[in-house]
Amino acid sequence: MAESEPLLSRARGGNGRDCPAGSHACVQVGPGAEARRDLCFEQAVIFIEDAIQYRSINHRMDTRSMWLYRWYYSDACQWILGFIIFLILFLAFIETPSSFTSTSDVRYRSKPWNPPCGLTESIEVLCLLGFATDLSVKSYLVGWPQFRKSLWLLAYLVVLVLSFVDWMVSLSLVCQEPLRLRRLLRPFFLLQNSSMMKKMLKCIRWSLPEMASVVLLLALHLCVFTMLGMLLFTGNKQDDGQDRERLIYFRDLAESLTSLLVLLTTANNPDVMVPAYSKNRAFAIFFIVFTLIGSLFLMNLLTAIIYNQFRGYLLKSVQASLFRKRLGTRAAYEVLSWMADREARPQGVGVKAQDLLQVLQKVQVDSTHKQAIMEKVRSHGDGLLSADEFQKLFNELDKSLMKEHPPRPEYQSPFLRVAQFLFGHRYFDYLGNVIVLANLVSICVFLVHDAGVQPQDRDDFMLGILNCVFILYYLAEMLLKVFALGLSGYLSYPSNVFDGLLTAILLVLEISTLAVYRFPHPGWKPELRGLLSLWDMVRLVNMLIVFRFLRIIPSMKLMAVVASTILGLIRNMRAFGGILVVVYYVFAIVGINLFRGAIVPPPGNISLAPNGSAPCGSYEQLEYWANNFDDFAAALVTLWNVMVVNNWQVFLDAYQRYSGPWSKIYFVLWWLVSSVIWINLFLALILENFLHKWDRRGELQSRSGDQITAVDLLFREVLEEPTEEELMAKLRHHPHLQLCR
């Protein structure tokens, strides 16, 4: 079917929206009305699915293209694409230098297994071919004019070409090339496949100018105090304290900058101050003033600016997503209303409820929301739905509907009905929580009591008896709840599923313990076999029961706000987590190329700490040998330790000595990207979620039938609904549809 065939049009008379004579705007598909009807249904289904997923509607709309479009966005196809992205990123753990060793400590690490040349390259080329197919499908669906305008698709093409060229260079050099450029490009495949990551990256890019102004203030602050420190601690007449300060922290410009930069993160406080302060208390003023201005004022000002800019640009992003959603539903309305117009119905302009029900049957959306929308459609009867009514139907997608639990079983006996009432009451849950607390306290008491006792000298008789009692109670509680609620009703509560699973695990382990070690008796000492004995496993699983207390969170207002904030963060962390993965991946690959093999073990592979040959607080004295860049896994852990900025001056000093002074640039850049920018963005997300929920806690608690999702409510009060003129103007400029109005 030609692309010009499925055109969205109006063929009405007397209202100024007629298609001109000879225009290709009117649909002419197939031999009859049935083909036109099927095409309109398929187009409406695609538009509604685009609205649900906040996707752009600017793609081909002929029958074959729509089939390809739905196949591409099917769960199976997207799962395969996600697996390919995971696989190509995971190759960094396998390819040379391999991370397949039990430890990354350079003193004890065995020679790693490295794959033969061509093994990982074969997997990689299959992944690249998958990405090439992905790019081809996307390019075809959007069309050549849209492809040329999309910077992400053009960058996708460039990255693929560079990756294929670098792959061929690797094979020609028998995998002995010093640098693999394509490893640095792999995170791009993760970025381009997520619209949320693209939006988050855009927010960060637009926030950089404001961040740069504060970073420049920090740099000026560092430079001024560096010069003051060097002048203060390098006078003609110096006592021992000043001289020690100069030799340790202010011996030259680079060392002075490094010392104060680390002090900005408070990682070396008060060590940097002690040599001078121990001789004269007045020197403390210099360091206190520096910390006040830098750490308390400028760093927190940076957090405030990042939060403000993040909120502003995230609001724009959410506004754009809302426009896409409204545009998709409006396009579906226009398609279906055109079909109703062709039937020349006298009721007026609108969409038949029966047509919309047929379309919804084909839409891929969770069954709960689909049923809620269809119920509202049926409530309209046989009349036509207006554009406003059509749009309001899909507001149900913004709600997280409460799942109805199956009805409880009905018993004829009065005794059974009373028992059902008692064991199905919430007070029975409260009793279970009290028992869990008693279980937890008993375990803690025995752990404290046995902390100083050798395993072979312990008598676990009392703890064994208590465990049997608690497990029998958990089993009885589960059976009584099944009796009161019914099996389907019991399983409809996630907390009951978790409790039941734990009870089953506990019961199996307890039976195994009794079978192996017999019943508890005085002097009962289960043997220790391997890392954990069977008895230790029972006690560890008992600790998991504490999670049952999470059920009390909704009944405590303040705790519920905090808990809902955490859950909202978990749902919204995919974009943040993806960007963090990209940053970690790139810096780890760069670190491997810069510092691989830089850290060498001490002579004889012995620790330098006992003989005192290493300076106190140094990399060697602290035995940080496992923190290196000799493989990808070790590089990730090292970057994490630097991001936490606890003792990160140790890494600066060590790699300066082993690799050269320019290594500090790498670590300072990592600190800026991870600790300054990403951590502050994470704080901004926490603040936005918490403040929003705190301001609306009363309203959210008053909802009983349904809940609005946190993502859509985040900016609900300030979002502007797009006007009909804006929506119709956008539809008229659709590259693959023509709307005559």
Side-chain angles (χ1 to χ4, degrees), residues 106 109 595-601 619 624-625 627-630 654-655 658-659:
V106 296
R109 183 181 57 207
F595 307 121
R596 181 187 175 192
I599 301 296
V600 294
Y619 183 92
Y624 280 9
W625 300 106
N627 293 282
N628 54 65
F629 290 89
D630 290 352
Y655 281 93
Y658 285 105
S659 298

Side-chain angles (χ1 to χ4, degrees), residues 348-369:
V349 179
V351 174
K352 294 169 58 180
Q354 189 62 33
D355 292 342
L356 180 56
L357 288 174
Q358 294 184 41
V359 169
L360 290 174
Q361 292 288 351
K362 300 180 180 181
V363 173
Q364 294 181 356
V365 66
D366 66 275
S367 58
T368 304
H369 287 103

Side-chain angles (χ1 to χ4, degrees), residues 7-12 19 25-29 33 36-37 39-40 43 331-344 349-351 739-740:
L7 299 178
L8 178 63
S9 65
R10 292 291 185 190
R12 301 180 184 143
C19 296
C26 299
V27 178
Q28 299 295 331
V29 181
R36 292 196 299 270
R37 183 183 181 86
L39 178 62
C40 288
Q43 289 180 340
Y333 171 81
E334 293 294 329
V335 169
L336 294 176
S337 63
W338 174 87
M339 186 172 62
D341 294 342
R342 297 284 291 183
E343 297 177 1
V349 179
V351 174
L739 181 63
C740 297

Side-chain angles (χ1 to χ4, degrees), residues 394-557:
F394 293 93
N395 290 337
E396 293 295 320
L397 297 172
D398 298 336
K399 299 178 181 179
S400 178
L401 301 178
M402 301 295 290
K403 183 179 179 181
E404 294 185 1
H405 300 287
R408 297 186 178 188
E410 297 181 0
Y411 298 104
Q412 300 298 326
S413 170
F415 174 77
L416 293 180
R417 285 201 293 260
V418 172
Q420 182 184 34
F421 172 78
L422 292 176
F423 298 128
H425 200 276
R426 66 178 184 274
Y427 286 158
F428 188 64
D429 288 336
Y430 296 159
L431 175 61
N433 290 334
V434 173
I435 299 298
V436 171
L437 179 59
N439 191 179
L440 183 63
V441 170
S442 67
I443 293 175
C444 292
V445 168
F446 281 97
L447 288 177
V448 172
H449 179 266
D450 296 339
V453 182
Q454 294 296 327
Q456 63 271 16
D457 298 329
R458 294 179 181 176
D459 187 352
D460 292 324
F461 169 63
M462 286 301 300
L463 188 57
I465 293 295
L466 289 175
N467 269 279
C468 290
V469 172
F470 283 121
I471 291 175
L472 287 176
Y473 174 82
Y474 298 148
L475 178 61
E477 181 191 36
M478 180 182 69
L479 295 177
L480 290 174
K481 284 188 174 181
V482 171
F483 160 76
L485 304 175
L487 181 60
S488 58
Y490 178 84
L491 296 177
S492 65
Y493 293 89
S495 59
N496 287 341
V497 174
F498 182 71
D499 292 345
L501 180 62
L502 284 177
T503 301
I505 296 174
L506 284 169
L507 187 62
V508 171
L509 289 177
E510 182 66 15
I511 293 175
S512 302
T513 302
L514 297 178
V516 175
Y517 302 113
R518 296 182 298 175
F519 287 95
H521 55 272
W524 194 50
K525 300 174 183 179
E527 300 175 5
L528 178 65
R529 299 178 180 179
L531 181 62
L532 291 175
S533 69
L534 191 60
W535 180 240
D536 291 325
M537 293 175 62
V538 172
R539 291 193 291 184
L540 287 176
V541 175
N542 262 332
M543 296 295 292
L544 296 178
I545 301 295
V546 73
F547 286 106
R548 291 177 54 164
F549 276 103
L550 296 178
R551 295 184 301 183
I552 70 173
I553 291 178
S555 60
M556 302 178 65
K557 296 180 181 180

